[in-house]
């Protein structure tokens, strides 16, 4: 049961956002539902709260002002509806092969139900149900199929993008208290900040990208362990197929693209807001 209380399950307990609206084929709609695309895209504002809380607990007295600037920047930069529509469009341009859309939709619904089941197990601290999940994960055949799926699905890479956005938010908040904040705010730092954090693999705050990937794989394992053998087979058939792999790649590539665009807008808006703030609240060395 101890694994079930890891922070990795927080998004299960928090609930799920609806499937992205729009006209697209059923396979694509089921895919973005399984991969929780809309929920991830709409989660940036909550990341500001999480990061600001962590920095405040570390004694950063300027968090409230930085948080206000970032909340404004995030809300103006992350349009989950248009971002999701762009992702669906790109996925739709890829041939998904001959997967049965009705069977895939049933598997997606079972996956969603499994997410709810794991949330209830966590909330109730249901030891009996937790042992049943652990038994399925320990089963040689079922466990191997689940591990294969967690390697094939897009969710771990999407979790990396969520962690990356949080890292940008963290860096932006830290920059607020930096003695050279005025210089940062008045220069073209955004591409450098994004490229630097993309390549960083140590001292990553608040959550390292590799940790986010592993935690998401663990979260997926619990959910997949609730599925029937039939539904697992449907998902495996899709993600192992050439069409499934192509759609998965299109999803990840498009998600990274729209996230980078939103992150760039966010930092531009934040640094612009910071420049204005520093004009009315100059640092001691500016006075």
């Amino acid at each position: 049961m101890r694994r079930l209380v890891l922070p990795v399950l927080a998004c299960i307990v928090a609930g799920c956002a609806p499937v992205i609206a729009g006209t697209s084929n059923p396979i694509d709609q089921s895919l973005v539902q399984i991969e929780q695309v809309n929920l991830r895209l709409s989660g940036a504002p909550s990341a500001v709260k999480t990061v600001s809380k962590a920095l405040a607990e570390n004694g950063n007295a300027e968090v409230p002002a930085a948080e206000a600037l970032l909340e404004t920047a995030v809300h103006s930069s992350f349009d989950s509806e248009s971002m999701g529509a762009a992702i669906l469009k790109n996925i739709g341009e890829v041939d998904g092969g001959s997967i049965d859309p009705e069977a895939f939709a049933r598997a997606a619904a079972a996956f969603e139900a499994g997410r709810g089941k794991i949330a209830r197990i966590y909330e109730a601290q249901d030891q009996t149900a937790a042992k049943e999940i652990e038994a399925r994960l320990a089963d040689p055949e079922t466990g191997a199929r689940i591990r294969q799926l967690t390697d094939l699905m897009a969710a771990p890479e999407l979790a990396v993008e969520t962690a990356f956005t949080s890292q940008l938010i963290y860096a932006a908040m830290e920059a607020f208290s930096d003695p050279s904040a005025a210089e940062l705010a008045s220069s073209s730092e955004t591409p450098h900040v994004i490229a630097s954090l993309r390549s960083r693999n140590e001292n990553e705050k608040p959550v390292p990208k590799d940790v986010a990937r592993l935690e998401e794989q663990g979260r997926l394992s619990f959910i997949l362990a609730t599925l029937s053998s039939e539904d697992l087979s449907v998902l495996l058939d899709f993600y192992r197929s050439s069409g499934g792999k192509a759609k998965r790649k299109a999803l990840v590539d498009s998600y990274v693209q729209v996230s980078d665009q939103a992150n760039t807008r966010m930092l531009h808006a934040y640094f612009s807001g910071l420049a204005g703030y520093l004009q009315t609240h100059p640092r001691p060395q500016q006075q």
Side-chain angles (χ1 to χ4, degrees):
M1 186 67 183
R2 186 173 65 86
R3 293 181 68 194
L4 289 174
V5 298
L6 289 172
V8 68
L9 291 176
C11 60
I12 299 179
V13 177
C16 306
V19 175
I20 297 170
T23 56
S24 59
N25 77 54
I27 290 287
D28 297 345
Q29 286 284 4
S30 295
L31 178 60
V32 298
Q33 178 185 2
I34 290 169
E35 301 289 5
Q36 281 193 288
V37 170
N38 198 42
L39 181 63
R40 298 178 200 278
L41 291 174
S42 61
S46 63
V48 176
K49 292 289 187 185
T50 302
V51 172
S52 63
K53 181 179 179 182
L55 282 170
E57 290 174 350
N58 289 338
N60 190 323
E62 294 187 292
V63 163
E67 181 181 350
L69 289 176
L70 266 169
E71 283 187 336
T72 299
V74 167
H75 281 290
S76 67
S77 303
F78 283 81
D79 182 346
S80 61
E81 185 173 341
S82 64
M83 293 166 75
I87 291 171
L88 265 177
K89 180 179 181 295
N90 289 336
I91 298 173
E93 293 173 354
V94 175
D95 182 8
S98 58
I99 296 295
D100 180 356
E102 292 186 3
F104 196 54
R106 286 194 297 271
F111 188 89
E112 195 74 16
R115 184 180 287 121
K117 180 177 181 179
I118 294 298
R120 291 189 294 274
I121 292 172
Y122 169 78
E123 290 169 343
Q125 295 292 291
D126 188 337
Q127 299 284 347
T128 300
K131 288 179 181 178
E132 292 175 359
I133 296 296
E134 291 171 352
R136 290 211 76 198
L137 291 171
D139 179 81
E141 181 179 351
T142 302
R145 298 172 82 201
I146 288 172
R147 286 190 295 274
Q148 185 176 14
L149 264 172
T150 62
D151 288 336
L152 290 170
M153 291 176 69
E157 298 310 312
L158 305 188
V160 168
E161 291 306 307
T162 299
F164 179 64
T165 294
S166 292
Q167 289 174 16
L168 286 173
I169 291 171
Y170 192 100
M173 281 197 176
E174 283 194 319
F176 188 94
S177 302
D178 194 302
S180 60
E183 178 183 347
L184 285 170
S186 61
S187 62
S188 181
E189 284 292 315
T190 300
H192 170 73
V193 171
I194 290 177
S196 176
L197 287 181
R198 276 254 179 238
S199 62
R200 183 181 296 179
N201 56 17
E202 59 183 19
N203 196 29
E204 299 173 274
K205 299 175 182 179
V207 179
K209 292 184 283 291
D210 283 347
V211 170
R213 181 184 290 107
L214 289 172
E215 287 186 344
E216 184 70 8
Q217 287 178 321
R219 187 184 75 89
L220 286 176
S221 295
F222 297 134
I223 297 171
L224 291 170
T226 69
L227 269 59
S228 67
S229 295
E230 180 182 358
D231 288 327
L232 283 176
S233 294
V234 169
L235 292 180
L236 274 171
D237 286 346
F238 173 78
Y239 282 99
R240 286 191 299 205
S241 70
S242 58
K245 288 178 179 178
K247 282 191 176 289
R248 186 258 192 206
K249 183 179 186 303
L251 191 163
V252 173
D253 290 348
S254 183
Y255 193 101
V256 171
Q257 181 181 36
V258 299
S259 292
D260 269 352
Q261 290 168 350
N263 285 329
T264 298
R265 290 192 297 267
M266 174 188 72
L267 290 185
H268 278 310
Y270 173 74
F271 282 131
S272 177
L274 179 56
Y277 178 89
L278 291 173
Q279 288 179 356
T280 56
H281 301 77
R283 300 296 191 217
Q285 64 267 33
Q286 294 177 260
Q287 297 176 349

